[in-house]
Amino acid sequence: MKNHVKLLISSLLLSLPMAASAATDDASYCKALAAKYDDLVANRGGARGATQSGVETSVALDQCKNGNPAGIPVLEQKLRDLKIELPPRS
């Protein structure tokens, strides 16, 4: 039983850096989405018939600009709807 606990603890400790790395990658990707949206849509007065962003988009932009990846799905969908290529996800 003690060996199982040691193995479980070791596995958890080894997985922590991977989880932190994924969170950092998500935050970076989210910031890239926000930058692309700002550049191609907001700053250029709309792209390919885009209209002003709604509250949902504004919240997603704010989340991404502040390192919160919760805005990723909204910004991905907004860019896809406008037929804008998404930035690469690393």
Side-chain angles (χ1 to χ4, degrees), residues 1-77:
M1 181 69 178
K2 286 185 180 183
N3 286 338
H4 287 5
V5 172
K6 287 180 183 178
L7 179 61
L8 179 61
I9 291 171
S10 296
S11 297
L12 288 172
L13 290 175
L14 289 173
S15 67
L16 287 176
M18 289 185 282
S21 175
T24 301
D25 290 345
D26 284 348
S28 296
Y29 176 64
C30 199
K31 286 181 181 186
L33 286 169
K36 188 150 202 173
Y37 186 90
D38 276 344
D39 183 49
L40 294 176
V41 179
N43 292 340
R44 294 187 184 177
R48 298 181 188 144
T51 58
Q52 281 191 335
S53 35
V55 173
E56 182 183 43
T57 305
S58 295
V59 169
L61 284 167
D62 188 55
Q63 288 171 328
C64 285
K65 289 175 183 177
N66 290 303
N68 179 355
I72 289 174
V74 172
L75 293 181
E76 283 181 332
Q77 191 59 54

Side-chain angles (χ1 to χ4, degrees), residues 71-84:
I72 289 174
V74 172
L75 293 181
E76 283 181 332
Q77 191 59 54
K78 295 294 180 182
L79 290 170
R80 280 190 201 110
D81 289 348
L82 296 168
K83 310 266 190 274
I84 295 172

